[in-house]
């Protein structure tokens, strides 16, 4: 796991400046002068909407092939139905991963490759939602997308089985795809699922340890496996369906992994300081659950009084915490440098992602859609 540590990932010294963006690597928003840079939010929104329009019919058709007992859980989870089976208009998610598949295919192979990659994009979205169904059960999360999670409505067993069915359905879709890249794609996606499971296992195992027993290097490795792996796989599948060379496939996988780590860093910040009206989860939910998220581990390993205070708070009972208790814990994370470190690290990871993308897609105009998506996932409001 040592390969995940760099000079910018060393233990934060209290407030983040010593662990900030390396000299010459500026935050994403300032990398526009002197040439084309990441596209802005509205353009990313257009890309995501276009991806949803391409993927949803195939996604609904795939879900319709499931047995009725699992189909109802999945349709509820996607926001298409209420628990009683009546139609609903909830959100099925942002479609970031399908958009990465399609945009990567288009960047390397043009419109024809993008069209050919729709089934691969659906498969990635199915795997993503398999992980969400299982994660909600394991984490006992009660809400997702502003409504009760599937396990709270249908029970643990039904939610787990529905997730299992989505994973199998994803692999079947690719295995049955006549596209010449499908064999390599299904192998890569299956390998990614194993990595996702290993990352989730590492996450749950870390939760059983004490506040001072988790290192920053291993939590970064865990985050790459849980989040970066699937974003990297999405980009790589798009490259495969474009007929890209092996080096370009590897570069896009690395791009997605680095962007995925940036995504997770920001997501962990939102998990502590996010607005419930935007996140759909209670304020400070990660702190209440004593999750060893990236900002928390960075703060715990920083040394100093704030880190010691946070360790004591994390070791205390938390079943009946008040809003004041949660706010005190969040302040301890911030004072120990966890928030500053996570935000600086996210900018650094995005700089690395751009370097990897430039290897495979050196033309800024062709790379623009992928840059827009990468910027979008790290520009969410807290």
């Amino acid at each position: 796991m040592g390969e995940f540590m760099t000079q910018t990932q060393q233990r934060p010294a209290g407030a983040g400046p010593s662990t900030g963006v390396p000299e010459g690597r500026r935050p994403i928003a300032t990398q526009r002068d002197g040439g084309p840079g990441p596209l802005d939010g509205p353009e990313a929104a257009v890309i995501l909407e276009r991806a949803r329009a391409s993927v949803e019919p195939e996604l609904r058709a795939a879900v319709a092939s499931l047995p009725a007992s699992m189909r109802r859980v999945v349709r509820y989870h996607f926001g298409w139905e209420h628990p009683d089976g009546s139609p609903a208009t909830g959100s099925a998610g942002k479609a970031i991963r399908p958009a990465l598949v399609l945009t990567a295919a288009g960047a390397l192979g043009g419109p024809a490759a993008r069209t050919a990659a729709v089934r691969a994009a659906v498969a990635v979205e199915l795997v993503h939602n398999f992980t969400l169904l299982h994660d909600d059960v394991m984490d006992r999360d009660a809400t997702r997308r502003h409504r009760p999670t599937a396990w709270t409505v249908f029970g643990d067993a039904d939610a787990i089985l529905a997730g299992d069915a989505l994973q199998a359905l994803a692999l079947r879709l690719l295995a049955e795809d006549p596209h010449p890249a499908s064999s390599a794609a299904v192998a890569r996606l299956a390998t990614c699922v194993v990595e996702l499971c290993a990352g989730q296992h590492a996450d749950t195992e870390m939760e059983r340890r004490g506040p001072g027993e988790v290192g920053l290097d291993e939590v970064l490795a865990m985050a790459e496996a849980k989040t970066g792996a699937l974003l990297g796989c999405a980009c790589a599948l798009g490259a495969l369906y474009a007929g890209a060379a092996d080096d370009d496939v590897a570069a896009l996988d690395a791009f997605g992994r680095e962007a995925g780590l940036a995504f997770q860093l920001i997501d962990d910040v939102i998990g502590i300081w996010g607005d419930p009206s935007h996140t759909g989860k209670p304020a400070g939910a990660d702190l209440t659950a004593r999750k060893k998220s990236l900002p928390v581990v960075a703060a715990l390993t920083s040394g100093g009084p704030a880190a010691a205070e946070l360790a004591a708070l994390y070791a205390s009972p938390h079943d009946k915490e008040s809003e004041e208790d949660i706010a005190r814990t969040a302040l301890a994370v911030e004072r120990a440098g966890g928030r500053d470190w996570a935000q600086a690290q996210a900018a650094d990871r995005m700089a690395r992602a751009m370097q990897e993308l430039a290897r495979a897609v050196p033309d800024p105009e062709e790379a623009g859609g992928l840059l827009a998506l990468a910027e979008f996932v790290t520009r969410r409001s807290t």
Side-chain angles (χ1 to χ4, degrees):
M1 295 183 186
E3 67 267 27
F4 296 103
M5 290 292 286
T6 71
Q7 63 180 2
T8 65
Q9 296 167 346
Q10 301 299 324
R11 195 172 65 181
S18 63
T19 58
V21 181
E23 186 176 356
R25 286 187 180 177
R26 293 170 293 163
I28 308 305
T30 65
Q31 294 179 346
R32 297 171 186 259
D33 45 307
L39 304 181
D40 58 19
E43 289 204 51
V46 170
I47 294 169
L48 291 168
E49 182 57 38
R50 184 184 177 196
R52 276 193 294 269
S54 297
V55 166
E56 184 155 330
E58 295 281 348
L59 183 63
R60 285 181 178 267
V63 170
S65 72
L66 294 173
S69 58
M70 297 174 195
R71 191 165 62 236
R72 69 180 189 131
V73 180
V74 172
R75 284 178 171 169
Y76 171 82
H77 169 76
F78 276 120
W80 300 338
E81 291 182 356
H82 295 295
D84 63 1
S86 59
T89 57
S91 170
K94 296 182 178 67
I96 291 168
R97 291 154 190 84
L100 285 171
V101 176
L102 299 178
T103 307
L108 288 170
R114 184 189 184 281
T115 300
V118 168
R119 185 174 291 190
V122 172
V124 168
E125 185 70 349
L126 290 170
V127 164
H128 173 53
N129 281 277
F130 137 68
T131 68
L132 297 183
L133 283 162
H134 282 201
D135 283 359
D136 286 344
V137 173
M138 286 184 276
D139 296 342
R140 311 315 285 172
D141 284 337
T143 58
R144 180 173 294 281
R145 297 166 183 159
H146 304 279
R147 64 180 193 158
T149 45
W151 72 268
T152 66
V153 175
F154 300 101
D156 289 1
D158 281 6
I160 291 169
L161 290 169
D164 292 342
L166 289 186
Q167 180 195 164
L169 183 58
L171 297 176
R172 189 183 77 189
L173 277 180
L174 284 181
E176 294 177 347
D177 191 351
H179 193 282
S182 64
S183 179
V186 74
R188 184 175 283 269
L189 187 58
T191 300
C192 178
V193 169
V194 174
E195 187 175 358
L196 291 170
C197 292
Q200 179 64 15
H201 178 270
D203 190 19
T204 56
E205 191 274 332
M206 287 177 195
E207 296 308 310
R208 294 193 290 268
R209 297 196 229 161
E213 297 174 356
V214 176
L216 196 51
D217 55 348
E218 60 182 324
V219 79
L220 280 163
M222 177 273 293
E224 175 168 351
K226 276 193 65 175
T227 305
L230 188 56
L231 269 71
C233 183
C235 295
L237 260 59
L240 285 172
Y241 271 69
D246 290 347
D247 286 349
D248 291 340
V249 174
L252 279 190
D253 184 276
F255 160 75
R257 284 175 178 270
E258 295 291 357
L261 266 176
F263 175 96
Q264 188 60 57
L265 285 153
I266 297 301
D267 199 60
D268 284 354
V269 169
I270 291 172
I272 299 173
W273 294 282
D275 181 347
S277 67
H278 293 148
T279 66
K281 295 184 178 183
D286 286 358
L287 297 178
T288 302
R290 295 297 192 263
K291 289 192 69 65
K292 295 180 180 69
S293 62
L294 287 159
V296 168
V297 175
L300 285 169
T301 57
S302 67
E309 179 188 5
L310 177 61
L313 290 168
Y314 251 56
S316 65
H318 54 278
D319 53 340
K320 294 182 179 179
E321 283 197 312
S322 65
E323 290 184 6
E324 291 76 13
D325 294 329
I326 295 171
R328 181 185 174 193
T329 306
L331 181 60
V333 177
E334 189 159 9
R335 288 174 54 216
R339 186 173 189 171
D340 286 346
W341 176 87
Q343 291 172 330
Q345 187 67 195
D348 181 60
R349 291 292 178 171
M350 280 301 303
R352 299 184 197 191
M354 291 180 188
Q355 291 170 355
E356 295 291 349
L357 179 58
R359 288 173 50 203
V361 192
D363 185 334
E365 185 174 348
E366 292 178 353
L370 287 168
L371 290 176
L373 290 173
E375 185 178 47
F376 172 82
V377 301
T378 57
R379 289 297 179 192
R380 292 169 296 157
S381 170
T382 60

